[in-house]
Amino acid sequence: MAEGPNRGEDPTSSKRMRMETDPNTAITEFLTKCDDYQLFQLTKFYRDRLEQAIEEVVDGISSLLTYEWHFSGQEHQKVVDLVEKGNRADSSKLLLNLVMEKGSRARRVMWESFVKMHHAVPKLDKILKEIQELGPDPFDYMNIRRGLSEIPSHLKDVQKKHKETLRVQTETLRVNTILIKEKVKIFQLVTLYTELTVISTVRDRTLVEHELLARGRDHEEWREKHLRRELEKIRTDQLFQSSFSRRKSKSGSSAAVSGVAGIGKTTMVQKIVYDWATGKIYPHFQFVFSFKFRELNALNCRINLWNLILIFYPYLRNILGELWKNPVGLLFIFDGLDEFQESIEFADDQRNTEPQYMCTDPESRCKVSDIVHSLIQHKLLPGCSVLVTSRPTALHLLEKAEISVWAEILGFVGEERKEYFNKCFEDQSVAAAVFKHVEENEILYTMCYNPSYCWILGLSLGPFFTQRDRKQQRVPKTITQLYSYYIYNILKNHGREIESPRDVLLKIGEMAFTGVSEKKIVFTNGDLIKYNLQPSQFLSGFMMELLERDDSAQNVVYTFPHLTIQEFVAALAQFLTTDPGDIRKLLSEAHSKKDGRFEIFLRFVVGLSSSRSARPLEEFLGPFLHQTICGVIDWVKEKVEGEIGNTESETGKRNLLNTFHYLFESQNQTLARVTVGSVETLTFSGLRLTPIDCAVLSHVIGLCDTIKHFDLKNCSIQCEGLQRLGPALHKCQELRLGSNKLGDSGVKLLSAALRNPDCKIQELQLCGNDLTDSCSEDLSSALSTNWSLTVLNMGNNKLGDSGVKLLSAALRNPDCKIQELGLCDNDLSDSSTEDLSSALSAKRSLTVVDLSYNKLGDSGVKRLSAALSNPDCKIQKLHLDGIGLTDSCTEDLVSALSTNRSLTDLSLGSNSFTDRSVPALRSLILTRRRLKRIWLGGNQFSPNRKRQLESLQEYRRGLTVDV
């Protein structure tokens, strides 16, 4: 065995993670009673869930197993390496593989560690609680129906035909388009299908609404955080006979999958059927029957299960009787409960008492709803399995049902969006261009958790990157332009179906505006009638494209495909009315709402004042009201002028950024130049900026004459945001970009700005940006040709000696104009001082240098002292705090400074000077007449010596000695 960690050290924390047995806990007693085979069963049964549960603590568990000599040092390192690369999922798989290979003692130690840490790991806590709830002998449940039931030989030919029929039915996917020439597009299912993130729970309705209302990167991070910490993912092949089951029953299993409109429920069902038909999943099911509730609505007569199946699968007539004998091998799928028109209330107590509600015989005639009810409740064909899908609005119907597994489709998370766009387009360059356009806009990016929205965006943007008659520079720059194009396509395809598209859109828009005002996203028939919109108009494709109808919960309700479409239509209505009223008053009232409900609506209103956004819509809707356009422009001008100097608070910064978004959406250069052309200072420090925020700021700066001060410190812009800012950065004189995680690739972009012949950057702050020596070559090259930059602060990075070597070469270049250089806390050692000394000696323009909190030591200062004594050295301020100096370097430093004629400010705090250094320092202070300030705090002086040094201020006017 390879050598493990030092056994004298704790590998996991200040405390060993060995389990402290608590005899009072049921789980501890249970594990103690488990024999080795049972523990093996337990681990195997929960294997898939454990992989997820331990992702966040996998390195700690591996350390414990290594400490206990179950893992070798090499095996532990493999686990840790995967964690450090960000591959926690692969790391947890590796750990479980190793544990299963090691044997029973390793498994026991692993489970003991789970008990020790479960309170801090929600997913582990959930698993352990479920084991307790299984009762005294959970292995009885784990063994339920684990084996495969062999299909009789005479049924194999029929099963083969059934599978082939289902394969043909499900192998292609028909998708509606907004194009006239190609209204339906057909894909191979396996080509387009992208795995959705499904969780093994159903969240509260308010969280689902949060999903619909929320926008931006914060929302995406919220989703990913909850997935990592609490929400367990479940694969479609785990919906039956898995540890995810909440109800432990031998009579069969029922699963319910929830998801909002367009999230992919029906496509997921199609993929499940296809995968079963092609032998990829659920081999224990001999036959699968799939039904859509919308098709079952047509069966308004009493029917039995026998005939129900034969309607859809007539070739099974001769064998159904035999299938009833083995219901365990049957899976029934019912898709779209929210679309079912019959009542199917499981809470109805009459179903348990009145015979007509019970359907226990496959040949007994009853309502379709009773058949579905009885199958789910295991009263009909007990032992069979049932899968039901539904929108959240109808999910309450299943609250009292015998559901074993609850699941919810979250949609696309992270890279799944990109994968879907890649599959939508045959040309991968087009897919990449469309996705990049979407990714850079926070609103579009958030929409893409939903496959339907991805498809809409792909249809809307794709032509701009593929059709020859569309130039790529005409790709929608703003969200308003994109949505205008989306509505334009609906009008183009369906405009003939209604007499006056303008009137209908005005009415829909007025209803939408009320919804935005009241934070309402669901509308009823009553709402439609209130705005003179007849529900019968849903026979028109035009209405169906704008409002989605949901016949769920014994109620007909309507929603817009996405909240932003509702907001856009609400904004559009302001330009279609014949009586606009006081548009400026309406906008001011909307802007005064502090909860952000009108934020995107206002951007759309301002965007629609632009001729480029309005032109395609005016083709079908007629000219927009000129009075409204003028009122909107006047309001924006007033708003920008009022916010421009009010950036002291976070609210003020956010308000100004929003007004800049208005300018960006308007694409009105004349308006922008009038309002921001003379602005010299922009401060957004501490405000989290998205990539689209950065694009907006770049647009604004591009219209300004010169920005003297541009502060984006701690705005989380990262390299992605900096890329959007890039085209305008050269116009700023003072550029503060500290604490933004720009990385080396960010400096590459900045170097391009520095090389711009028109570059005006004089001060560049890059503290705390995860920079390494890799960026130094690009920066050094730019510094050698730049004539404007005089102040460069790169503190709190990791340039190292090799990075400083390249920078020093640039500093020695006569064309480099740097006067102030900050390199504090950059992992520098004494060897870097040789290059720095060369630069200090040769660079007459360099007057301020900060080398604090590097490990230069006495030897490093000895080299620096030689440079400081050089007559050509013009250093005026030198900061050497916390660099590891001792008394032994004092004489060299004092000797060098005694001949230096420029130094006025010296900082030597937080070193290891003692009273022995005081005489030399005292002599330095008294003899160096140019010295105005010396900082010596944080050294090891006695109180008496501190007073002696401080008293020197009495001898020299204007001298400050801080000890």
Side-chain angles (χ1 to χ4, degrees), residues 36-46 139 142-143:
D36 293 343
Y37 177 69
Q38 287 174 325
L39 205 58
F40 171 80
Q41 274 187 301
L42 191 71
T43 310
K44 190 175 179 182
F45 184 71
Y46 282 103
F139 299 101
M142 294 179 194
N143 288 320

Side-chain angles (χ1 to χ4, degrees), residues 716-886:
S716 302
I717 62 175
Q718 304 184 45
C719 184
E720 186 180 2
L722 190 67
Q723 189 172 15
R724 307 301 301 276
L725 284 163
L729 292 177
H730 69 279
K731 297 184 70 173
C732 307
Q733 290 183 358
E734 183 182 335
L735 186 54
R736 295 181 174 269
L737 295 170
S739 304
N740 274 300
K741 297 183 179 178
L742 301 180
D744 296 331
S745 52
V747 171
K748 197 176 188 74
L749 294 168
L750 281 169
S751 299
L754 290 170
R755 280 192 287 266
N756 190 310
D758 297 324
C759 181
K760 293 182 172 62
I761 302 174
Q762 297 174 10
E763 179 178 334
L764 181 58
Q765 297 284 343
L766 292 173
C767 303
N769 270 300
D770 299 332
L771 308 182
T772 71
D773 58 348
S774 300
C775 75
S776 299
E777 190 170 351
D778 287 309
L779 187 58
S780 299
S781 170
L783 293 179
S784 299
T785 58
N786 180 278
W787 289 73
S788 63
L789 191 66
T790 59
V791 178
L792 176 62
N793 192 344
M794 301 184 72
N796 303 104
N797 286 296
K798 296 182 179 180
L799 297 180
D801 297 338
S802 55
V804 166
K805 188 179 188 73
L806 289 165
L807 274 180
S808 298
L811 291 171
R812 289 193 296 269
N813 189 306
D815 292 329
C816 178
K817 305 301 180 186
I818 296 293
Q819 296 174 13
E820 299 183 21
L821 179 65
L823 291 173
C824 73
D825 192 13
N826 256 292
D827 288 350
L828 307 184
S829 71
D830 60 342
S831 57
S832 70
T833 55
E834 187 171 347
D835 295 299
L836 284 168
S837 297
S838 171
L840 294 181
S841 299
K843 196 68 181 172
R844 295 194 174 193
S845 65
L846 197 59
T847 58
V848 179
V849 176
D850 186 356
L851 297 172
S852 301
Y853 303 103
N854 289 293
K855 297 177 181 178
L856 304 184
D858 294 338
S859 56
V861 166
K862 189 165 188 170
R863 293 195 188 96
L864 287 175
S865 298
L868 291 170
S869 62
N870 188 309
D872 291 330
C873 179
K874 302 300 179 185
I875 296 297
Q876 297 174 13
K877 293 183 180 181
L878 181 62
H879 290 211
L880 298 174
D881 303 294
I883 64 170
L885 302 183
T886 68

